[in-house]
Every structure is written in C-alpha cells, then in structure tokens.
Amino acid sequence: MTVRATVLAFLGVLASWRLVSGQGGTWVVTPASPTVGDTIWLEREVPAKSGWQIRAGKLAATEAVEPLTDPAVLKSPAGWVVRYAIVAWKPGAQRLALPPLWRLAPDGRSDSLPGGTTGISIATVIPETLKNPDPRGPLAPLRASHQNPVVPLTAVVLTTVLLGMGVALRRRRPGPLSTGPALHVPLEREVPDARWLSAGEPKAVAVRATGRVRTALARAVPEAHPALATAECLAVIQQAGRKVPVQELRDLLEQLDRVAYASAHGTDVTALAAAARRWAKQLVP
C-alpha cells in the first residue's frame, strides 16, 4: 500500500507538471542581467484556441519588486503573450510569484492557469570596492564671505541716469501758441415755437419756456438757482422780499410743468410761451 501510494503520487505530480508545461511554458526575463532600477520585462506565451482570450492577474508589489504598469496581453501566432513590466530595488536573487492567468471561451466558460514562479538575478550598481556606502548629506549653500554694496548702488545710479536721459530726449517741447484772430463760431438760430408745435412737441416748448423764466429769476435773485424745485424757488423769492409777483409766476410755472409732464391737455402752449418771454424780459431788462 505504501509503494502504491508513492507511485500514484509521483504519477500525479508528473501529470500536473506536463499539463502546466503544455499550457504556456516558463517566463522569459528581459534583459538577461538587469540591475537595480532597470525596467524588467517578464513574458510568457500561453496557447489558446481560436476565439479564446487571456486575462492576466495584477501583480502585487513587494519591498524588493514593484510593477510599473498593468499587465499587457498581446496576440501571437500560437495564442497570446502575457507581459509584465517590473522594477527591482534590491540586488541579489529574487524569487517572484506570478498571479494566475484566466482563459475565457467564447461561450462564457473560463479556465485558470497557474502563474508559477520565476527567478531574477539583480546586479547592484554600486562598485564592489565600496563597502557599506553611507549617503552624503546635503551641501551647504555657497555664499560669499562678504558683500560689496558698491556694485548694486552703481547699477541703481546708472539705471536712474539712463532713464532720465531717455525721458528728456523723448519729451516734446510745447509748441508756440497761435496768435491769429479768434475764430468766430456763428450761433444757431432758435427754433420757433410754431415749428415745435407743428412737429407735435409741446413738451419741448414748455421746457424751454420754463428754463427761460427760471434763468431770469436766478439772475434777479441769486438764491433761487435752477437746481431748486418750482415751489422751493418761489419760496426763496418770497423770503428774499423782492418785488416780484410770486402768485402770477407760480400760476405760469405750474401750467408749464403740467404741459411738460403731459398732465394738462388742451392748454394753449403758445400763449404760455409768450407769457414766459414777457416775464423774462421784465425780470432781466
């Protein structure tokens, strides 16, 4: 019984080794003699039937070996090629266990393949003559033993002088004033009230008449300036004690305001404008 169990175990191991070797072979390491920090490629060709696909597992990082990118699966004449890009940070022999691979059938079936292990010999980049190297500390900043203030002061003075010379050269002198006769600009004639009324603009006539009366009142009584409202202007004139018919002016200005704000319809604007001219002549002869 012991011999029979031994023989069966040996046959099982032999069968599994043949199955694994027939499902993809071993991993190929490129370059053959990598050093610390080099990009190392691990490739393995996995045979697959037409329509089957390969999915590679993600390689876990360790203290000595770290994957650079996700695994790549490329099509080959015999099936698929699985490729890992890794980097090693420690010299010496490294034993790396690869994740399992999955074969996917078109009908949804799947089959797993053991990733296996591979050995990598990493060479060191430090010469063998240097034993137990210690990292060097940072270098101290390079500073001059003394600073000379003459150089920056000279640069500032020179820059100021050059800037002043440039401004003096670029500045234009004022030209001579013209001594010729003054130009006469003719004043435009005032538009008659009848023309404004024929154009349907009684408000313009009322506003101009109000301005004429208010200007005359401001000249007669400086305190009654045009910035005041109509009621305020008449109150200032009445307090000033000037001999001005305040009641008649109030009636005239209120009627002009109602026309200007379109609250009085059917008002004889022509008569109001004539009265405004007459009052303006009386206030300022």
Side-chain angles (χ1 to χ4, degrees), residues 140-242:
L142 300 178
R143 296 181 179 178
S145 58
H146 61 280
Q147 297 180 356
N148 189 1
V150 177
V151 177
L153 291 178
T154 304
V156 171
V157 173
L158 183 60
T159 304
T160 305
V161 172
L162 293 177
L163 180 60
M165 294 176 59
V167 172
L169 293 176
R170 294 289 297 176
R171 185 178 180 181
R172 296 181 179 180
R173 296 181 179 180
L177 297 176
S178 178
T179 57
L183 297 177
H184 176 69
V185 180
L187 298 177
E188 296 184 359
R189 298 180 57 184
E190 186 182 82
V191 179
D193 295 338
R195 186 175 178 181
W196 282 109
L197 294 174
S198 62
E201 294 292 341
K203 295 182 180 181
V205 177
V207 170
R208 184 168 62 179
T210 302
R212 185 178 288 110
V213 175
R214 291 297 302 273
T215 302
L217 288 174
R219 292 180 180 178
V221 182
E223 296 83 358
H225 50 82
L228 299 176
T230 301
E232 296 174 349
C233 176
L234 296 175
V236 170
I237 293 175
Q238 191 172 6
Q239 292 177 1
R242 301 296 178 88

Side-chain angles (χ1 to χ4, degrees), residues 24-46:
T26 59
W27 293 92
V28 179
V29 181
T30 306
S33 300
T35 59
V36 175
D38 290 348
T39 300
I40 305 172
W41 296 95
L42 302 178
E43 294 184 357
R44 175 181 174 183
E45 187 174 9
V46 180

Side-chain angles (χ1 to χ4, degrees), residues 49-282:
K49 298 179 182 179
S50 177
W52 287 63
Q53 295 183 357
I54 298 297
R55 179 179 296 174
K58 189 174 182 181
L59 183 62
T62 62
E63 295 182 359
V65 180
E66 182 179 356
L68 296 177
T69 59
D70 293 335
V73 180
L74 308 175
K75 185 66 176 176
S76 66
W80 298 88
V81 174
V82 181
R83 179 182 296 176
Y84 288 91
I86 63 174
V87 62
W89 304 114
K90 290 184 179 181
Q94 303 292 339
R95 198 70 180 173
L96 185 63
L98 278 301
L101 306 177
W102 292 88
R103 291 193 298 186
L104 306 177
D107 56 358
R109 293 178 300 159
S110 62
D111 184 17
S112 64
L113 302 177
T117 58
T118 182
I120 308 173
S121 180
I122 308 299
T124 181
V125 294
I126 301 177
E128 296 181 356
T129 56
L130 185 61
K131 301 296 183 180
N132 299 326
D134 295 330
R136 295 184 179 180
L139 297 177
L142 300 178
R143 296 181 179 178
S145 58
H146 61 280
Q147 297 180 356
N148 189 1
V150 177
V151 177
L153 291 178
T154 304
V156 171
V157 173
L158 183 60
T159 304
T160 305
V161 172
L162 293 177
L163 180 60
M165 294 176 59
V167 172
L169 293 176
R170 294 289 297 176
R171 185 178 180 181
R172 296 181 179 180
R173 296 181 179 180
L177 297 176
S178 178
T179 57
L183 297 177
H184 176 69
V185 180
L187 298 177
E188 296 184 359
R189 298 180 57 184
E190 186 182 82
V191 179
D193 295 338
R195 186 175 178 181
W196 282 109
L197 294 174
S198 62
E201 294 292 341
K203 295 182 180 181
V205 177
V207 170
R208 184 168 62 179
T210 302
R212 185 178 288 110
V213 175
R214 291 297 302 273
T215 302
L217 288 174
R219 292 180 180 178
V221 182
E223 296 83 358
H225 50 82
L228 299 176
T230 301
E232 296 174 349
C233 176
L234 296 175
V236 170
I237 293 175
Q238 191 172 6
Q239 292 177 1
R242 301 296 178 88
K243 295 181 179 180
V244 178
V246 178
Q247 185 61 35
E248 297 181 6
L249 287 175
R250 178 180 287 106
D251 295 339
L252 177 62
L253 292 176
E254 288 179 354
Q255 291 183 21
L256 290 174
D257 289 342
R258 285 193 293 269
V259 174
Y261 291 102
S263 60
H265 302 283
T267 305
D268 189 1
V269 184
T270 305
L272 293 177
R277 289 190 181 89
R278 184 174 61 257
W279 278 108
K281 291 181 180 179
Q282 291 179 5

